[in-house]
Amino acid sequence: MLKIAIINGPNLNLLGIREPSVYGSFTLNDIENELLILSKELNIELTCKQTNHEGQIIDWLHYCYANNFDGIILNAGAYTHTSIAIHDAIKAIKIPVIEVHLSNVFAREEFRHKSYISPVSKGQITGFGIESYLLALRAMKDLN
Ligand code: DQA
């Protein structure tokens, strides 16, 4: 059975009330529930995490390495655009990471066009709301 982690970064705990015109009105719980349903269908063991702290994301990336995870789906929120430390952690662990975003970051402010995650990721899925995560989980299944 594949072991996949979903890691969500800062402010994603506020989905549902946070800028619904950009991110939709569903909650993080809704996303995780849909992912859990799909993971059962795909025979994947899923672990879902969310934190507002950069170092905690790095600790979880290390944890996934230490515990033989097969893949990580990461929405690093705004750390996507700033974090060399998360970039380095992904490079270090050598587990395939798929970068996801709810919104189409390239259709938004210019500061969101730069990603420190993309160069060290298998690929990026951006702009499809909840579907970004579900597509990433299917892609992860195909990768492994
Ligand atoms: C986001 C896009 C980021 O630019 C933003 O800072 C977020 C959410 C997304 O899922 O669309 O927090 O990662």
Side-chain angles (χ1 to χ4, degrees):
M1 204 178 196
L2 282 184
K3 269 170 65 169
I4 306 293
I6 310 287
I7 302 179
N8 277 294
N11 299 310
L12 293 163
N13 55 316
L14 293 184
L15 287 176
I17 56 164
R18 175 190 183 200
E19 299 181 80
S21 60
V22 177
Y23 296 113
S25 51
F26 46 82
T27 64
L28 182 58
N29 211 22
D30 294 333
I31 296 179
E32 291 179 348
N33 282 337
E34 290 215 20
L35 282 165
L36 281 169
I37 292 167
L38 181 61
S39 70
K40 289 196 180 104
E41 198 183 294
L42 299 177
N43 199 29
I44 288 172
E45 185 188 325
L46 203 67
T47 303
C48 297
K49 305 278 192 192
Q50 188 276 329
T51 179
N52 293 318
H53 305 279
E54 186 176 15
Q56 180 67 74
I57 294 176
I58 294 164
D59 285 347
W60 280 332
L61 291 169
H62 296 178
Y63 172 89
C64 288
Y65 172 73
N67 290 277
N68 299 314
F69 274 69
D70 300 294
I72 299 161
I73 294 167
L74 173 64
N75 184 349
Y79 290 135
T80 304
H81 318 300
T82 62
S83 182
I84 298 168
I86 294 175
H87 169 108
D88 285 350
I90 294 170
K91 222 171 174 175
I93 61 171
K94 296 194 190 102
I95 301 173
V97 169
I98 298 179
E99 173 185 0
V100 298
H101 299 286
L102 293 156
S103 62
N104 177 357
V105 287
F106 298 104
R108 300 181 62 196
E109 303 94 323
E110 204 168 331
F111 63 81
R112 295 185 205 276
H113 299 180
K114 164 84 186 167
S115 168
Y116 283 93
I117 311 297
S118 297
V120 286
S121 294
K122 256 321 205 196
Q124 189 201 51
I125 302 174
T126 183
F128 298 99
I130 291 189
E131 203 58 36
S132 292
Y133 291 84
L134 299 173
L135 288 166
L137 195 59
R138 289 187 189 281
M140 204 51 104
K141 175 77 181 179
D142 291 344
L143 270 183
N144 283 275

